[in-house]
Amino acid sequence: AQSVSQHNHHVILSEAASLELGCNYSYGGTVNLFWYVQYPGQHLQLLLKYFSGDPLVKGIKGFEAEFIKSKFSFNLRKPSVQWSDTAEYFCAVHPGTASKLTFGTGTRLQVTL
Amino acid sequence: DVKVTQSSRYLVKRTGEKVFLECVQDMDHENMFWYRQDPGLGLRLIYFSYDVKMKEKGDIPEGYSVSREKKERFSLILESASTNQTSMYLCASSLESPQEETQYFGPGTRLLVL
């Protein structure tokens, strides 16, 4: 069965620091990859997604993620975080064939002023 | 904008009660999903549905059932609630399309079983 690993469970950064959140998955075939974000008290929402093409994808609010097929990774990055980025971030994987989405356990990001 | 609504934001029930959680989406999506979200465990899929009257088990279906009588509505049923079902329940929907599996989530229902 496929699995998704997010190794950072809780990350604390100061404003303007750079961010990288790790995501690794265990499926060997074609995959679609997602990062979702849940701001405090809000719905889970899509941050960015990769289906095909350029492995560097850009999402909302200055986030980007790079798909490295050889490493089975899809790490999320932001050059300079803001206090408003405080949220929980979830990586998710969907096989290319129709099937369910598998989520990682999430990373709680806390940005301090 | 896609809108997914859930019938309650907070629920308190007693052990053994039958619990219904309702989810409605307004974008004519074929797929609907029920997850539970627990700290340190992320989102785990309970059940999903690709069409009316169709359901498939997810990763943790035990103790739950679902109903999809209309395309826009997907209900999660706890036949006899137990304390280990205290959790946040999230509903989601998506289009049936190989190029658009983005799931849209509702606000969640926080269920406490006493």
Side-chain angles (χ1 to χ4, degrees):
Chain A
Q2 63 192 27
S3 66
V4 180
S5 297
Q6 292 183 244
H7 306 295
N8 315 106
H9 300 295
H10 189 193
V11 173
I12 303 174
L13 293 173
S14 300
E15 265 204 329
S18 64
L19 169 72
E20 181 160 1
L21 301 182
C23 173
N24 289 90
Y25 62 93
S26 66
Y27 185 74
T30 301
V31 292
N32 299 321
L33 299 156
F34 303 79
W35 276 96
Y36 281 84
V37 60
Q38 189 172 36
Y39 298 103
Q42 294 190 27
H43 299 202
L44 201 66
Q45 60 185 281
L46 183 70
L47 198 56
L48 49 79
K49 60 186 178 184
Y50 170 80
F51 279 73
S52 63
D54 188 344
L56 184 63
V57 292
K58 296 192 183 298
I60 60 172
K61 304 189 179 185
F63 285 90
E64 64 179 31
E66 185 175 11
F67 170 49
I68 303 179
K69 190 174 181 180
S70 61
K71 294 185 177 180
F72 298 89
S73 71
F74 190 55
N75 292 355
L76 181 70
R77 300 195 293 247
K78 187 171 183 178
S80 176
V81 295
Q82 300 174 303
W83 179 79
S84 58
D85 293 325
T86 294
E88 190 155 18
Y89 293 81
F90 295 91
C91 181
V93 175
H94 188 293
T97 54
S99 184
K100 60 191 183 190
L101 202 57
T102 299
F103 283 85
T105 53
T107 297
R108 187 171 297 279
L109 172 65
Q110 185 178 346
V111 180
T112 60
L113 295 170
Chain B
D1 270 355
V2 176
K3 194 164 186 182
V4 180
T5 57
Q6 295 183 229
S7 51
S8 305
R9 292 300 300 270
Y10 301 94
L11 272 180
V12 181
K13 297 291 181 181
R14 296 209 173 271
T15 302
E17 280 193 77
K18 192 168 186 175
V19 182
F20 292 87
L21 303 182
E22 302 285 337
C23 175
V24 177
Q25 50 92 4
D26 66 358
M27 286 301 292
D28 204 34
H29 284 173
E30 292 85 1
N31 304 332
M32 297 189 75
F33 308 83
W34 275 107
Y35 296 88
R36 62 178 284 176
Q37 182 181 8
D38 300 288
L41 297 177
L43 277 72
R44 293 179 292 165
L45 182 64
I46 303 171
Y47 267 96
F48 59 105
S49 169
Y50 286 145
D51 202 351
V52 174
K53 295 193 186 294
M54 176 274 181
K55 61 185 179 185
E56 289 204 26
K57 293 180 180 179
D59 298 317
I60 51 164
E62 296 78 19
Y64 304 94
S65 62
V66 290
S67 172
R68 193 161 181 205
E69 297 296 318
K70 294 185 178 180
K71 190 176 185 180
E72 68 271 18
R73 188 179 297 269
F74 192 36
S75 303
L76 180 69
I77 302 153
L78 287 66
E79 293 289 342
S80 177
S82 63
T83 53
N84 63 12
Q85 293 178 310
T86 290
S87 186
M88 171 71 91
Y89 290 88
L90 298 179
C91 176
S93 71
S94 71
L95 280 171
E96 181 57 40
S97 164
Q99 294 305 313
E100 186 54 64
E101 294 110 341
T102 301
Q103 292 188 15
Y104 297 87
F105 285 84
T109 295
R110 190 169 293 281
L111 173 66
L112 173 62
V113 182
L114 300 173

